[in-house]
Amino acid sequence: MDYETIFSAAIGKVRDEGRYRTFADLARRVGGFPAADHRCPDRGRREVTIWCSNDYLGMGQHPVVLEAAERALRDYGAGAGGTRNISGTTHLHVLLEQELAALHGKPAALVMTSGYVANEAAISTLATLLPDCVIFSDELNHASMIAGVRASRCTKRVFRHNDLEHLEELLAAEPAGRAKLIVFESVYSMDGDFGPINAVCDLAERHGAMTYLDEVHAVGMYGATGAGVAERDAALARVDVIQGTLAKAYGCMGGYVAGSRAVIDAIRSFAPGFIFTTSLAPAVVGGALASVRYLRRSNAERTAQQERAGALKRRLAEAGLPVMASPSHIVPVLVGDPVRCKAATDLLLERHAIYIQPINYPTVPKGTERLRLTPGPLHDDATMDRLLEALVDVCGRLTIPRAA
Protein backbone atom coordinates (compact mmCIF):
# COMPACT_ATOMS: atom_id res chain seq x y z
CA MET A 1 0.00 0.00 0.00
CA ASP A 2 1.27 3.48 -0.91
CA TYR A 3 0.76 5.25 2.41
CA GLU A 4 2.41 8.51 1.35
CA THR A 5 0.06 8.85 -1.63
CA ILE A 6 -2.98 8.44 0.62
CA PHE A 7 -1.83 11.19 2.96
CA SER A 8 -0.81 13.47 0.09
CA ALA A 9 -4.20 12.99 -1.57
CA ALA A 10 -5.98 13.92 1.64
CA ILE A 11 -3.97 17.13 1.91
CA GLY A 12 -4.49 17.79 -1.78
CA LYS A 13 -8.25 17.73 -1.23
CA VAL A 14 -7.93 20.34 1.50
CA ARG A 15 -5.80 22.50 -0.81
CA ASP A 16 -8.30 22.17 -3.66
CA GLU A 17 -11.09 23.36 -1.37
CA GLY A 18 -9.06 26.39 -0.33
CA ARG A 19 -8.90 25.26 3.28
CA TYR A 20 -5.18 24.51 3.59
CA ARG A 21 -3.56 26.40 6.46
CA THR A 22 0.02 27.36 7.17
CA PHE A 23 1.58 28.39 10.46
CA ALA A 24 2.58 32.00 10.92
CA ASP A 25 6.02 32.32 12.49
CA LEU A 26 5.23 34.98 15.10
CA ALA A 27 7.15 36.45 18.02
CA ARG A 28 4.89 38.43 20.32
CA ARG A 29 6.56 41.38 22.02
CA VAL A 30 6.16 41.75 25.76
CA GLY A 31 5.02 45.30 26.31
CA GLY A 32 4.18 45.72 22.63
CA PHE A 33 1.19 43.44 22.06
CA PRO A 34 -0.78 43.38 19.73
CA ALA A 35 2.41 44.04 17.74
CA ALA A 36 4.52 41.01 16.88
CA ASP A 37 7.44 40.07 14.66
CA HIS A 38 6.50 37.93 11.68
CA ARG A 39 9.20 35.88 9.99
CA CYS A 40 8.62 34.83 6.40
CA PRO A 41 11.20 33.08 4.16
CA ASP A 42 10.67 35.45 1.22
CA ARG A 43 10.27 38.70 3.20
CA GLY A 44 12.42 38.28 6.27
CA ARG A 45 11.21 39.78 9.54
CA ARG A 46 8.71 42.60 9.89
CA GLU A 47 6.24 43.96 12.39
CA VAL A 48 2.60 42.90 12.13
CA THR A 49 -0.52 43.57 14.20
CA ILE A 50 -2.39 40.56 15.58
CA TRP A 51 -6.20 40.80 15.42
CA CYS A 52 -7.16 37.18 16.12
CA SER A 53 -5.52 36.29 19.43
CA ASN A 54 -7.46 34.46 22.13
CA ASP A 55 -5.36 36.31 24.70
CA TYR A 56 -8.42 38.52 24.95
CA LEU A 57 -7.25 40.80 27.75
CA GLY A 58 -3.50 40.80 27.10
CA MET A 59 -2.85 38.92 30.35
CA GLY A 60 -0.19 36.82 28.64
CA GLN A 61 2.19 39.75 29.03
CA HIS A 62 0.84 41.33 32.22
CA PRO A 63 3.63 42.04 34.74
CA VAL A 64 1.73 40.28 37.55
CA VAL A 65 1.52 37.10 35.47
CA LEU A 66 5.09 37.24 34.19
CA GLU A 67 6.54 37.80 37.65
CA ALA A 68 4.56 34.88 39.09
CA ALA A 69 5.64 32.59 36.24
CA GLU A 70 9.30 33.58 36.68
CA ARG A 71 9.09 33.03 40.42
CA ALA A 72 7.54 29.59 39.92
CA LEU A 73 10.25 28.66 37.43
CA ARG A 74 12.99 29.61 39.90
CA ASP A 75 11.30 27.94 42.87
CA TYR A 76 9.96 24.73 41.27
CA GLY A 77 12.04 24.16 38.13
CA ALA A 78 11.06 23.80 34.48
CA GLY A 79 8.77 20.76 34.58
CA ALA A 80 6.34 19.21 37.01
CA GLY A 81 8.22 15.92 36.94
CA GLY A 82 5.37 13.55 36.21
CA THR A 83 1.65 12.99 36.02
CA ARG A 84 -0.55 14.44 38.73
CA ASN A 85 -0.67 11.05 40.47
CA ILE A 86 3.07 10.46 40.21
CA SER A 87 4.94 13.44 41.71
CA GLY A 88 3.42 16.02 39.33
CA THR A 89 1.13 17.77 41.83
CA THR A 90 3.00 20.81 43.08
CA HIS A 91 1.64 23.10 45.76
CA LEU A 92 0.87 25.59 42.98
CA HIS A 93 -1.51 23.07 41.38
CA VAL A 94 -3.32 22.70 44.68
CA LEU A 95 -3.61 26.48 45.11
CA LEU A 96 -4.83 26.98 41.54
CA GLU A 97 -7.56 24.37 41.93
CA GLN A 98 -8.70 25.96 45.16
CA GLU A 99 -8.80 29.36 43.46
CA LEU A 100 -10.81 28.04 40.51
CA ALA A 101 -13.30 26.26 42.77
CA ALA A 102 -13.81 29.47 44.72
CA LEU A 103 -14.14 31.48 41.50
CA HIS A 104 -17.07 29.35 40.36
CA GLY A 105 -18.59 28.81 43.79
CA LYS A 106 -17.99 25.06 43.64
CA PRO A 107 -16.51 22.72 46.26
CA ALA A 108 -13.74 21.43 43.97
CA ALA A 109 -11.90 21.90 40.68
CA LEU A 110 -9.43 19.90 38.61
CA VAL A 111 -6.77 21.38 36.31
CA MET A 112 -5.79 19.58 33.09
CA THR A 113 -3.36 20.27 30.27
CA SER A 114 -5.83 21.98 27.90
CA GLY A 115 -9.45 22.92 27.49
CA TYR A 116 -9.79 20.25 24.80
CA VAL A 117 -8.49 17.56 27.14
CA ALA A 118 -10.73 18.81 29.94
CA ASN A 119 -13.86 18.56 27.80
CA GLU A 120 -13.06 15.22 26.21
CA ALA A 121 -11.98 13.65 29.50
CA ALA A 122 -14.74 15.05 31.70
CA ILE A 123 -17.71 14.53 29.39
CA SER A 124 -16.73 11.00 28.40
CA THR A 125 -15.99 10.00 31.99
CA LEU A 126 -19.14 11.42 33.53
CA ALA A 127 -21.40 9.97 30.85
CA THR A 128 -19.73 6.57 31.08
CA LEU A 129 -20.15 6.43 34.85
CA LEU A 130 -23.83 7.38 34.67
CA PRO A 131 -25.95 4.24 34.04
CA ASP A 132 -27.59 4.15 30.60
CA CYS A 133 -26.83 7.85 30.13
CA VAL A 134 -28.19 9.87 27.22
CA ILE A 135 -26.31 13.05 26.28
CA PHE A 136 -28.06 16.13 24.91
CA SER A 137 -25.61 18.25 22.92
CA ASP A 138 -26.06 21.61 21.23
CA GLU A 139 -25.37 21.26 17.51
CA LEU A 140 -22.74 24.04 17.61
CA ASN A 141 -20.75 22.63 20.51
CA HIS A 142 -16.96 22.73 20.22
CA ALA A 143 -15.07 19.81 18.68
CA SER A 144 -13.67 18.86 22.09
CA MET A 145 -17.18 18.45 23.49
CA ILE A 146 -18.21 16.37 20.49
CA ALA A 147 -15.10 14.24 21.05
CA GLY A 148 -16.13 13.69 24.67
CA VAL A 149 -19.64 12.69 23.64
CA ARG A 150 -18.30 10.22 21.07
CA ALA A 151 -15.72 8.77 23.44
CA SER A 152 -18.43 7.98 25.99
CA ARG A 153 -20.22 5.73 23.47
CA CYS A 154 -23.47 6.77 25.11
CA THR A 155 -26.71 7.54 23.32
CA LYS A 156 -26.68 11.13 22.09
CA ARG A 157 -29.39 13.56 21.12
CA VAL A 158 -28.27 16.68 19.22
CA PHE A 159 -30.58 19.67 19.65
CA ARG A 160 -30.79 22.64 17.33
CA HIS A 161 -28.59 25.52 18.42
CA ASN A 162 -30.05 27.31 21.45
CA ASP A 163 -33.47 25.82 20.59
CA LEU A 164 -35.11 25.29 23.97
CA GLU A 165 -38.29 23.83 22.51
CA HIS A 166 -36.31 21.20 20.63
CA LEU A 167 -34.25 20.40 23.73
CA GLU A 168 -37.39 19.99 25.84
CA GLU A 169 -38.94 17.77 23.20
CA LEU A 170 -35.90 15.49 23.26
CA LEU A 171 -35.76 15.45 27.07
CA ALA A 172 -39.45 14.62 27.38
CA ALA A 173 -39.06 11.67 25.01
CA GLU A 174 -36.74 9.89 27.47
CA PRO A 175 -37.90 7.91 30.51
CA ALA A 176 -38.09 10.06 33.65
CA GLY A 177 -35.61 7.87 35.54
CA ARG A 178 -32.97 7.70 32.81
CA ALA A 179 -29.65 9.49 33.44
CA LYS A 180 -29.41 12.63 31.31
CA LEU A 181 -26.49 15.00 30.67
CA ILE A 182 -26.95 18.33 28.85
CA VAL A 183 -23.72 19.76 27.41
CA PHE A 184 -23.67 23.31 26.04
CA GLU A 185 -21.63 26.52 25.92
CA SER A 186 -21.98 30.01 27.34
CA VAL A 187 -20.26 31.79 24.43
CA TYR A 188 -20.18 30.14 21.02
CA SER A 189 -16.94 31.52 19.72
CA MET A 190 -17.52 31.53 15.97
CA ASP A 191 -20.85 33.41 15.96
CA GLY A 192 -20.30 35.10 19.32
CA ASP A 193 -23.78 34.38 20.69
CA PHE A 194 -24.67 33.34 24.23
CA GLY A 195 -26.16 30.10 25.48
CA PRO A 196 -29.42 30.52 27.50
CA ILE A 197 -27.99 29.16 30.75
CA ASN A 198 -30.90 29.72 33.14
CA ALA A 199 -33.43 28.44 30.63
CA VAL A 200 -31.39 25.25 30.06
CA CYS A 201 -31.12 24.80 33.82
CA ASP A 202 -34.90 25.17 34.09
CA LEU A 203 -35.34 22.29 31.64
CA ALA A 204 -32.67 20.23 33.38
CA GLU A 205 -34.41 20.58 36.73
CA ARG A 206 -37.79 19.75 35.20
CA HIS A 207 -36.50 16.58 33.53
CA GLY A 208 -33.94 15.41 36.08
CA ALA A 209 -30.88 16.14 33.92
CA MET A 210 -27.33 17.08 34.85
CA THR A 211 -25.80 20.21 33.23
CA TYR A 212 -22.29 20.65 31.86
CA LEU A 213 -21.36 24.18 30.74
CA ASP A 214 -18.33 25.12 28.65
CA GLU A 215 -17.24 28.66 29.62
CA VAL A 216 -13.87 28.75 27.87
CA HIS A 217 -14.58 31.97 25.94
CA ALA A 218 -16.23 33.59 28.97
CA VAL A 219 -14.03 32.94 32.02
CA GLY A 220 -12.14 36.08 32.91
CA MET A 221 -14.41 38.01 30.54
CA TYR A 222 -17.85 38.16 32.15
CA GLY A 223 -19.26 38.46 35.65
CA ALA A 224 -18.18 40.63 38.56
CA THR A 225 -15.15 38.42 39.27
CA GLY A 226 -14.64 36.92 35.81
CA ALA A 227 -16.38 33.63 36.59
CA GLY A 228 -18.15 33.79 33.23
CA VAL A 229 -21.63 34.21 31.82
CA ALA A 230 -23.08 31.94 34.52
CA GLU A 231 -21.90 34.48 37.10
CA ARG A 232 -23.24 37.38 35.05
CA ASP A 233 -26.62 35.62 34.76
CA ALA A 234 -26.71 34.57 38.44
CA ALA A 235 -26.66 30.89 37.43
CA LEU A 236 -23.43 29.63 39.02
CA ALA A 237 -25.20 27.57 41.66
CA ARG A 238 -27.55 26.03 39.10
CA VAL A 239 -24.93 24.54 36.75
CA ASP A 240 -23.57 21.16 37.85
CA VAL A 241 -20.21 21.20 36.06
CA ILE A 242 -18.39 24.24 34.68
CA GLN A 243 -15.47 23.81 32.30
CA GLY A 244 -13.01 26.59 31.54
CA THR A 245 -9.61 27.40 30.14
CA LEU A 246 -6.51 29.21 31.33
CA ALA A 247 -5.35 29.82 27.76
CA LYS A 248 -7.64 32.64 26.64
CA ALA A 249 -8.60 35.55 28.92
CA TYR A 250 -6.09 34.35 31.54
CA GLY A 251 -3.28 34.39 29.00
CA CYS A 252 -1.60 31.12 29.98
CA MET A 253 -2.32 27.45 29.21
CA GLY A 254 -4.46 24.62 30.54
CA GLY A 255 -8.07 23.66 31.07
CA TYR A 256 -10.16 22.76 34.10
CA VAL A 257 -13.51 21.60 35.42
CA ALA A 258 -15.28 22.71 38.59
CA GLY A 259 -18.15 21.00 40.37
CA SER A 260 -19.09 18.95 43.41
CA ARG A 261 -16.41 16.98 45.24
CA ALA A 262 -17.91 13.68 44.06
CA VAL A 263 -17.98 14.78 40.41
CA ILE A 264 -14.43 16.13 40.42
CA ASP A 265 -13.10 13.11 42.30
CA ALA A 266 -14.77 10.81 39.77
CA ILE A 267 -13.12 12.62 36.85
CA ARG A 268 -9.77 12.62 38.70
CA SER A 269 -10.03 8.90 39.37
CA PHE A 270 -11.39 7.60 36.06
CA ALA A 271 -10.46 9.97 33.19
CA PRO A 272 -7.52 8.59 31.13
CA GLY A 273 -6.95 12.04 29.60
CA PHE A 274 -6.14 13.30 33.09
CA ILE A 275 -4.51 10.25 34.66
CA PHE A 276 -1.96 9.53 31.92
CA THR A 277 -0.88 13.08 31.02
CA THR A 278 2.15 14.88 32.43
CA SER A 279 1.17 17.73 34.71
CA LEU A 280 1.33 21.37 33.59
CA ALA A 281 4.69 23.05 34.16
CA PRO A 282 4.95 25.05 37.41
CA ALA A 283 5.68 28.31 35.57
CA VAL A 284 2.41 27.94 33.65
CA VAL A 285 0.47 27.12 36.81
CA GLY A 286 2.06 29.97 38.75
CA GLY A 287 1.27 32.46 36.01
CA ALA A 288 -2.30 31.18 35.68
CA LEU A 289 -2.87 31.38 39.43
CA ALA A 290 -1.73 35.01 39.46
CA SER A 291 -3.92 35.81 36.46
CA VAL A 292 -7.07 34.29 37.98
CA ARG A 293 -6.46 36.09 41.28
CA TYR A 294 -5.83 39.40 39.52
CA LEU A 295 -8.94 39.24 37.32
CA ARG A 296 -11.13 38.31 40.28
CA ARG A 297 -10.30 41.77 41.67
CA SER A 298 -9.90 43.92 38.56
CA ASN A 299 -12.70 44.85 36.17
CA ALA A 300 -10.65 47.39 34.23
CA GLU A 301 -9.51 44.90 31.59
CA ARG A 302 -13.00 43.47 31.05
CA THR A 303 -14.54 46.94 30.75
CA ALA A 304 -11.91 48.10 28.27
CA GLN A 305 -12.28 44.97 26.17
CA GLN A 306 -16.05 45.33 25.91
CA GLU A 307 -15.65 48.97 24.87
CA ARG A 308 -13.15 48.03 22.18
CA ALA A 309 -15.37 45.24 20.84
CA GLY A 310 -18.37 47.57 20.71
CA ALA A 311 -16.36 50.28 18.98
CA LEU A 312 -15.05 47.89 16.33
CA LYS A 313 -18.51 46.47 15.56
CA ARG A 314 -19.94 49.96 15.19
CA ARG A 315 -17.13 51.15 12.94
CA LEU A 316 -17.25 48.04 10.75
CA ALA A 317 -20.99 48.55 10.23
CA GLU A 318 -20.53 52.25 9.49
CA ALA A 319 -17.92 51.35 6.86
CA GLY A 320 -20.40 48.98 5.20
CA LEU A 321 -18.27 45.93 5.95
CA PRO A 322 -20.01 42.56 6.45
CA VAL A 323 -19.79 42.36 10.26
CA MET A 324 -22.05 39.65 11.65
CA ALA A 325 -24.36 40.42 14.58
CA SER A 326 -22.79 39.32 17.85
CA PRO A 327 -23.75 40.23 21.44
CA SER A 328 -20.40 39.10 22.87
CA HIS A 329 -16.77 40.17 22.51
CA ILE A 330 -16.35 38.09 19.33
CA VAL A 331 -16.44 40.15 16.09
CA PRO A 332 -17.01 37.93 13.01
CA VAL A 333 -16.76 39.35 9.48
CA LEU A 334 -18.53 37.23 6.88
CA VAL A 335 -16.72 36.26 3.67
CA GLY A 336 -18.74 33.19 2.67
CA ASP A 337 -16.15 31.47 0.50
CA PRO A 338 -13.02 29.55 1.59
CA VAL A 339 -10.81 30.68 -1.28
CA ARG A 340 -11.62 34.36 -0.86
CA CYS A 341 -11.38 34.01 2.92
CA LYS A 342 -7.82 32.70 2.63
CA ALA A 343 -7.01 35.30 -0.05
CA ALA A 344 -8.31 38.05 2.23
CA THR A 345 -6.04 37.06 5.09
CA ASP A 346 -3.08 36.72 2.73
CA LEU A 347 -3.66 40.23 1.39
CA LEU A 348 -4.12 41.67 4.86
CA LEU A 349 -0.76 40.24 5.86
CA GLU A 350 1.14 41.03 2.67
CA ARG A 351 -0.19 44.53 1.94
CA HIS A 352 -1.14 45.80 5.39
CA ALA A 353 0.94 43.80 7.95
CA ILE A 354 -2.26 42.68 9.68
CA TYR A 355 -2.43 39.09 10.88
CA ILE A 356 -5.82 37.35 10.93
CA GLN A 357 -6.42 33.66 10.34
CA PRO A 358 -9.21 32.52 7.99
CA ILE A 359 -11.99 30.56 9.68
CA ASN A 360 -13.13 27.85 7.28
CA TYR A 361 -14.89 24.49 7.36
CA PRO A 362 -14.98 22.35 9.52
CA THR A 363 -14.67 25.07 12.18
CA VAL A 364 -17.72 26.77 10.64
CA PRO A 365 -20.28 25.43 8.12
CA LYS A 366 -19.43 25.71 4.44
CA GLY A 367 -20.69 28.98 3.01
CA THR A 368 -20.15 30.86 6.28
CA GLU A 369 -16.37 31.25 6.08
CA ARG A 370 -15.27 34.34 7.94
CA LEU A 371 -12.64 36.46 9.59
CA ARG A 372 -12.86 36.29 13.37
CA LEU A 373 -11.64 39.47 15.02
CA THR A 374 -10.87 39.65 18.73
CA PRO A 375 -10.27 43.26 19.75
CA GLY A 376 -8.69 43.76 23.14
CA PRO A 377 -7.82 46.57 25.55
CA LEU A 378 -4.49 47.09 23.76
CA HIS A 379 -5.97 47.71 20.29
CA ASP A 380 -6.04 51.52 20.32
CA ASP A 381 -7.93 53.83 17.95
CA ALA A 382 -5.00 54.22 15.56
CA THR A 383 -4.62 50.44 15.32
CA MET A 384 -8.34 50.16 14.64
CA ASP A 385 -8.13 52.87 11.94
CA ARG A 386 -5.48 50.85 10.09
CA LEU A 387 -7.59 47.68 10.32
CA LEU A 388 -10.65 49.44 8.85
CA GLU A 389 -8.65 50.90 5.98
CA ALA A 390 -7.11 47.50 5.26
CA LEU A 391 -10.45 45.67 5.30
CA VAL A 392 -12.04 48.20 2.97
CA ASP A 393 -9.11 47.78 0.56
CA VAL A 394 -9.13 43.97 0.67
CA CYS A 395 -12.90 43.60 0.40
CA GLY A 396 -12.81 45.86 -2.63
CA ARG A 397 -9.99 43.95 -4.32
CA LEU A 398 -11.70 40.58 -3.75
CA THR A 399 -15.27 41.82 -4.36
CA ILE A 400 -16.37 40.55 -0.96
CA PRO A 401 -19.98 41.67 -0.42
CA ARG A 402 -20.12 44.77 1.76
CA ALA A 403 -23.16 43.70 3.82
CA ALA A 404 -23.52 40.73 6.19
Side-chain angles (χ1 to χ4, degrees):
M1 181 173 289
D2 188 345
Y3 297 105
E4 291 298 310
T5 296
I6 293 171
F7 298 135
S8 296
I11 293 299
K13 186 172 185 294
V14 174
R15 288 183 183 275
D16 291 342
E17 294 176 359
R19 297 190 292 114
Y20 185 74
R21 299 182 183 184
T22 57
F23 293 139
D25 186 346
L26 298 170
R28 299 204 306 171
R29 298 175 180 172
V30 172
F33 185 75
D37 289 331
H38 176 236
R39 289 173 173 82
C40 184
D42 57 347
R43 298 190 64 158
R45 184 178 71 178
R46 65 173 180 153
E47 180 181 297
V48 300
T49 302
I50 299 176
W51 273 98
C52 58
S53 174
N54 282 340
D55 187 359
Y56 293 134
L57 303 179
M59 293 302 293
Q61 62 164 357
H62 196 286
V64 168
V65 177
L66 297 182
E67 289 165 11
E70 290 172 0
R71 187 165 57 250
L73 178 65
R74 291 193 302 267
D75 292 348
Y76 290 83
T83 65
R84 288 291 301 278
N85 286 314
I86 306 176
S87 82
T89 297
T90 70
H91 185 54
L92 289 173
H93 290 81
V94 175
L95 293 176
L96 178 57
E97 288 171 345
Q98 291 174 349
E99 193 73 24
L100 291 168
L103 173 70
H104 294 290
K106 300 299 182 187
L110 188 68
V111 171
M112 301 191 208
T113 50
S114 73
Y116 190 105
V117 169
N119 266 335
E120 184 176 35
I123 292 172
S124 61
T125 297
L126 294 174
T128 301
L129 290 174
L130 292 170
D132 192 29
C133 179
V134 56
I135 304 174
F136 301 84
S137 178
D138 188 289
E139 68 177 341
L140 294 189
N141 276 342
H142 189 263
S144 59
M145 303 176 78
I146 295 170
V149 172
R150 288 175 176 166
S152 74
R153 299 184 180 178
C154 292
T155 301
K156 68 176 179 181
R157 304 279 186 256
V158 178
F159 59 93
R160 291 185 293 271
H161 178 54
N162 281 351
D163 190 329
L164 296 168
E165 290 185 3
H166 190 211
L167 174 57
E168 181 159 34
E169 177 186 325
L170 294 174
L171 286 165
E174 299 297 331
R178 188 175 188 183
K180 306 174 186 72
L181 178 65
I182 304 172
V183 296
F184 65 115
E185 300 184 37
S186 64
V187 177
Y188 291 85
S189 65
M190 291 302 118
D191 290 338
D193 57 336
F194 294 113
I197 299 173
N198 274 302
V200 171
C201 289
D202 288 342
L203 293 180
E205 291 167 7
R206 191 178 308 153
H207 294 277
M210 186 176 180
T211 50
Y212 182 103
L213 176 65
D214 177 312
E215 289 252 43
V216 295
H217 290 278
V219 290
M221 301 290 292
Y222 297 91
T225 66
V229 179
E231 181 182 36
R232 185 199 70 178
D233 293 353
L236 278 177
R238 304 188 70 191
V239 178
D240 294 304
V241 183
I242 292 175
Q243 183 264 350
T245 185
L246 304 166
K248 293 182 170 62
Y250 293 121
C252 295
M253 177 185 175
Y256 65 89
V257 287
S260 71
R261 293 195 184 281
V263 163
I264 298 305
D265 204 17
I267 297 169
R268 184 186 69 83
S269 300
F270 289 95
F274 171 77
I275 295 170
F276 298 104
T277 301
T278 298
S279 179
L280 283 174
V284 172
V285 179
L289 175 60
S291 188
V292 174
R293 285 176 171 170
Y294 176 87
L295 288 175
R296 287 187 73 186
R297 301 189 307 271
S298 174
N299 270 306
E301 291 77 13
R302 284 188 282 277
T303 301
Q305 199 281 334
Q306 289 292 330
E307 185 278 327
R308 292 284 79 191
L312 181 58
K313 291 175 190 176
R314 182 176 62 255
R315 295 184 63 181
L316 288 167
E318 290 171 352
L321 292 165
V323 58
M324 301 168 68
S326 161
S328 72
H329 60 284
I330 305 297
V331 183
V333 176
L334 182 66
V335 177
D337 175 82
V339 175
R340 282 196 293 181
C341 197
K342 178 65 166 59
T345 59
D346 288 347
L347 280 175
L348 285 168
L349 186 59
E350 292 165 7
R351 290 180 58 84
H352 301 282
I354 289 174
Y355 175 67
I356 304 171
Q357 265 293 313
I359 305 297
N360 291 333
Y361 176 85
T363 306
V364 295
K366 291 180 179 179
T368 69
E369 292 82 4
R370 67 198 65 178
L371 310 180
R372 178 181 175 272
L373 307 178
T374 54
L378 302 175
H379 289 96
D380 59 21
D381 287 341
T383 304
M384 203 172 286
D385 289 340
R386 291 192 294 274
L387 173 68
L388 268 291
E389 292 170 4
L391 286 172
V392 168
D393 173 60
V394 168
C395 285
R397 289 176 180 276
L398 298 176
T399 63
I400 294 172
R402 296 284 294 276

